[in-house]
């Protein structure tokens, strides 16, 4: 019982420490990215409109996307030097699409597109010096929309990349 209580206290301390660095990360990233309409903070995530990072129906990072991701990598590397080495943080990159189906040789469904985009960002961040054990890529396809409507505005809002600093 005593061991359980001590473990819970230690875990709570690590969670609190990660929350502090998460807050600092989001603050620094917001300063670096500026007040862009296409990048927002939603809860504990940074949300990038897909159009900021990728051309339509593609997983190739655009020139503007590379600029934004380079700023992200620089911010993350600077913050990582302040974090304790044993803090098990991970930057989770989540790809999302709109509800309109895609079907081509490269992307048979929205799942493949959303996963390929998340993976493209992870690979880019790795090329910028972020350790691979600190990165995770997930594709959600069209299954977690922010806006359930079928308007162009809703589709644009649902095509996004979400970044979350979390623990593994």
């Amino acid at each position: 019982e005593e061991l359980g209580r001590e473990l819970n206290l230690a875990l709570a301390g690590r969670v609190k420490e990660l929350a502090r660095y998460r807050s600092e990360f989001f603050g620094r990233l917001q300063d670096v990215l500026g007040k862009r309409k296409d990048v927002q903070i939603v809860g504990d995530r940074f949300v990038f409109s897909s159009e900021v990072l990728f051309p339509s129906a593609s997983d190739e990072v655009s020139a503007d996307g590379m600029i934004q991701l380079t700023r992200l990598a620089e911010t993350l590397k600077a913050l990582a030097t302040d974090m304790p080495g044993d803090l098990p943080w991970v930057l989770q990159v989540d790809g999302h699409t709109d509800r309109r189906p895609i079907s081509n040789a490269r992307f048979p469904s929205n799942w493949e597109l959303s996963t390929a985009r998340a993976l493209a960002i992870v690979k880019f961040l790795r090329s910028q010096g972020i350790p691979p054990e600190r990165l995770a890529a997930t594709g959600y396809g069209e299954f977690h929309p922010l806006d359930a409507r079928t308007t162009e505005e809703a589709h644009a809002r649902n095509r996004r990349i979400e970044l979350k600093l979390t623990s593994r």
Side-chain angles (χ1 to χ4, degrees):
E1 200 172 293
E2 178 66 24
L3 179 60
R5 188 171 56 239
E6 287 178 23
L7 285 173
N8 283 337
L9 285 172
L11 180 59
R14 298 308 277 192
V15 168
K16 186 176 180 181
E17 191 172 11
L18 180 61
R20 181 174 65 96
Y21 287 109
R22 181 184 302 136
S23 177
E24 185 176 340
F25 170 68
F26 282 129
R28 285 186 187 182
L29 191 55
Q30 191 167 27
D31 288 343
V32 167
L33 295 176
K35 303 273 189 256
R36 297 180 58 128
K37 284 185 171 182
D38 48 11
V39 180
Q40 301 174 337
I41 297 177
V42 178
D44 63 350
R45 298 170 182 265
F46 250 93
V47 180
F48 288 79
S49 168
S50 287
E51 286 77 13
V52 173
L53 304 173
F54 301 99
S56 180
S58 173
D59 66 338
E60 298 289 326
V61 179
S62 68
D64 187 42
M66 286 185 189
I67 292 168
Q68 300 305 321
L69 292 175
T70 299
R71 290 177 181 167
L72 167 68
E74 290 168 0
T75 301
L76 191 56
K77 286 190 291 188
L79 182 62
T81 61
D82 297 337
M83 287 189 208
D86 63 342
L87 187 65
W89 66 270
V90 171
L91 183 68
Q92 183 176 315
V93 180
D94 298 335
H96 297 267
T97 65
D98 61 34
R99 294 163 66 187
R100 293 179 288 195
I102 187 171
S103 182
N104 59 41
R106 177 124 170 88
F107 306 114
S109 76
N110 283 325
W111 250 331
E112 283 86 2
L113 176 59
S114 65
T115 302
R117 285 179 168 180
L119 191 55
I121 292 170
V122 162
K123 287 178 178 179
F124 182 85
L125 293 174
R126 186 172 177 204
S127 77
Q128 298 298 301
I130 306 300
E133 65 273 10
R134 299 294 191 185
L135 298 166
T138 308
Y140 287 96
E142 71 272 22
F143 300 109
H144 294 268
L146 294 175
D147 192 328
R149 298 175 300 150
T150 57
T151 64
E152 282 304 314
E153 180 183 85
H155 289 311
R157 189 163 178 236
N158 291 330
R159 290 187 303 269
R160 67 196 188 279
I161 297 294
E162 296 184 356
L163 304 174
K164 179 178 183 180
L165 194 60
T166 188
S167 63
R168 58 180 147 92

